[in-house]
Amino acid sequence: MKRMIILLCAALTAACTGGEQDGQTLSGLKRSDFRSEADGKKTDLFVLKNDNGMEVCVTNFGGRIVSVMVPDRNGVMRDVVLGFDNIGDYRTVPTDFGATIGRYANRINQGRFTLDGTEYQLPQNNYGHCLHGGPRGFQYRVFDAVQKSDRELELAYTAKDGEEGFPGNFNCRVTMTLTDDNAIDIRYAADTDKATVVNMTNHSYFNLDGDPSKDNSDWLLMVDADSYTPVDSTFMTTGEIAPVAGTPMDFRVPTPIGERIGQDFEQLKNGNGIDHNWVLNTRGNIAEACASLESPATGIRLDVYTTEPGIQVYCGNFLDGTVKGKKGIPYGFRAAVCLETQKYPDTPNKPEWPSAVLRPGEKYESRCIYRFSVSE
């Protein structure tokens, strides 16, 4: 009886860690390569699987999606996100690959904002602005992780009052669920003990060819938005909301990225290509796809759903081949597309835009669904 209990406990432990111990995952990742310690906390790799054979690997270092294995039109399983195959690279190579971004995704002008009469100064880590919560944002923090089943992972982190300059002790929880319709359902929840600003997102770099040697020129992009928020030469939103009609920013019908991204247009020059926020027509309706991306080569399609008012589309304009990812493959220019659901950039300094303020007693909630399918 004692031996039976021991075996049962071992089986339950394996189940709660995705059934993978030191062996390889479907993507070829090894959990042992992610087991380390950072900031006094243990890091690991967690494996989610559904009944269709889809697999998603996540590390609690930065709450990062490390790999996403989905079938192409011929049934071949392909890894469709960029990342590293060991914790060492995530810790030493500055990237946002697959990360949970917080406390505030995107940019805050000059790293300053005023809330309830108090001015806060944040780190200035991007053209004089605060980008993605600062140089020690959530993407470089270790989340507490609990794998509730083969399909669900809960990540939790508490940012202390003053961390990266933000006010309030901020408790956040990110729940990632892999569904049987091949979707990664990400739910964010948070509270605070002092008025603060919050804008969380996921920063996965999608390559739907499953081949980082290929760029995104042929991929079909759709963004359900009649307008977008232009930026200046430092990538900061100007405060304008501009129509996409008659410009290369119009992706209301699926269009090859390569047809637009190289056009002679001031905003494409300012963004070094496409690196902009779109004002979504879906207005937070999670039932309607706000954006889609499709590879004609593989047939793999990604539909995005969100409760947020905006989405940042970034086309990997700063990838230059110097960073080598999984299997030692260099990640070249525009080898991916990021689809970051969000509040608009610099909302704390633009009160006419949807508010990012969270106060004590309130609950921050946001949801993003990345659903994969195959087009014939």
Side-chain angles (χ1 to χ4, degrees):
M1 176 63 72
K2 184 176 180 180
R3 176 176 173 77
M4 185 178 295
I5 292 173
I6 292 173
L7 290 173
L8 179 59
C9 289
L12 288 172
T13 300
C16 290
T17 55
E20 302 287 347
Q21 294 301 309
D22 292 321
Q24 288 191 344
T25 61
L26 185 62
S27 60
L29 299 171
K30 293 181 180 179
R31 291 193 65 203
S32 56
D33 290 333
F34 287 82
R35 286 176 170 152
S36 184
E37 213 173 88
D39 298 330
K41 293 184 176 182
K42 292 182 178 180
T43 64
D44 207 337
L45 187 73
F46 301 86
V47 185
L48 305 178
K49 296 180 179 180
N50 68 9
D51 286 345
N52 300 325
M54 181 177 167
E55 178 193 87
V56 177
C57 292
V58 182
T59 178
N60 61 323
F61 181 78
R64 295 171 182 259
I65 295 175
V66 180
S67 66
V68 176
M69 297 294 292
V70 295
D72 65 13
R73 65 162 60 91
N74 297 315
V76 176
M77 300 298 289
R78 295 180 181 267
D79 186 357
V80 294
V81 294
L82 305 189
F84 299 116
D85 50 21
N86 64 88
I87 194 64
D89 285 345
Y90 278 111
R91 294 186 63 183
T92 60
V93 183
T95 73
D96 297 319
F97 292 154
T100 294
I101 302 294
R103 189 176 305 195
Y104 197 92
N106 220 303
R107 295 168 178 84
I108 294 178
N109 192 17
Q110 299 300 304
R112 289 194 299 269
F113 68 94
T114 299
L115 182 57
D116 296 339
T118 300
E119 183 178 280
Y120 296 94
Q121 180 64 59
L122 314 174
Q124 295 169 278
N125 61 321
N126 184 261
Y127 295 90
H129 311 304
C130 182
L131 174 65
H132 293 331
R136 284 277 287 159
F138 291 4
Q139 64 270 52
Y140 299 109
R141 306 288 181 169
V142 181
F143 287 71
D144 296 320
V146 177
Q147 185 153 358
K148 295 190 170 183
S149 71
D150 283 349
R151 303 170 191 228
E152 184 176 336
L153 176 67
E154 185 176 284
L155 302 165
Y157 178 69
T158 296
K160 294 181 180 179
D161 183 23
E163 184 174 296
E164 294 295 89
F166 290 93
N169 292 299
F170 179 79
N171 306 298
C172 71
R173 185 175 68 254
V174 183
T175 304
M176 297 184 182
T177 305
L178 179 58
T179 66
D180 277 337
D181 59 351
N182 285 2
I184 307 170
D185 189 340
I186 307 175
R187 296 173 186 255
Y188 305 89
D191 58 59
T192 182
D193 63 0
K194 185 188 295 185
T196 190
V197 294
V198 55
N199 184 28
M200 298 184 70
T201 194
N202 180 268
H203 209 306
S204 287
Y205 282 63
F206 296 104
N207 181 301
L208 301 188
D209 285 337
D211 182 356
S213 70
K214 296 180 180 179
D215 68 21
N216 55 35
S217 299
D218 294 335
W219 304 346
L220 303 175
L221 173 67
M222 185 283 292
V223 184
D224 186 5
D226 295 330
S227 54
Y228 73 106
T229 53
V231 298
D232 63 21
S233 61
T234 69
F235 300 86
M236 176 50 58
T237 47
T238 63
E240 180 187 7
I241 292 180
V244 300
T247 78
M249 313 304 281
D250 190 351
F251 286 92
R252 288 175 292 183
V253 297
T255 304
I257 293 171
E259 284 189 9
R260 300 286 172 82
I261 201 167
Q263 291 188 27
D264 184 12
F265 185 65
E266 182 182 18
Q267 281 302 305
L268 293 174
K269 294 177 182 177
N270 286 352
N272 196 32
I274 295 171
D275 189 3
H276 295 77
N277 169 74
W278 270 259
V279 177
L280 295 172
N281 292 336
T282 49
R283 295 179 176 83
N285 184 353
I286 195 71
E288 295 182 16
C290 68
S292 68
L293 189 67
E294 182 178 334
S295 163
T298 64
I300 297 174
R301 175 186 173 97
L302 169 61
D303 289 291
V304 184
Y305 305 78
T306 185
T307 55
E308 292 295 340
I311 188 169
Q312 185 84 8
V313 180
Y314 167 59
C315 288
N317 311 309
F318 292 100
L319 296 173
D320 60 6
T322 58
V323 172
K324 293 183 179 180
K326 287 171 283 190
K327 301 178 181 177
I329 298 173
Y331 290 156
F333 186 54
R334 293 181 179 157
V337 172
C338 301
L339 299 165
E340 307 158 62
T341 59
Q342 61 175 10
K343 301 287 190 295
Y344 308 159
D346 197 37
T347 284
N349 292 308
K350 296 177 171 67
E352 66 276 15
W353 288 358
S355 176
V357 175
L358 179 69
R359 299 185 181 279
E362 298 176 344
K363 186 176 181 180
Y364 167 80
E365 292 182 317
S366 179
R367 188 179 178 192
C368 170
I369 300 173
Y370 295 122
R371 178 170 290 127
F372 296 88
S373 60
V374 176
S375 298
E376 297 301 329

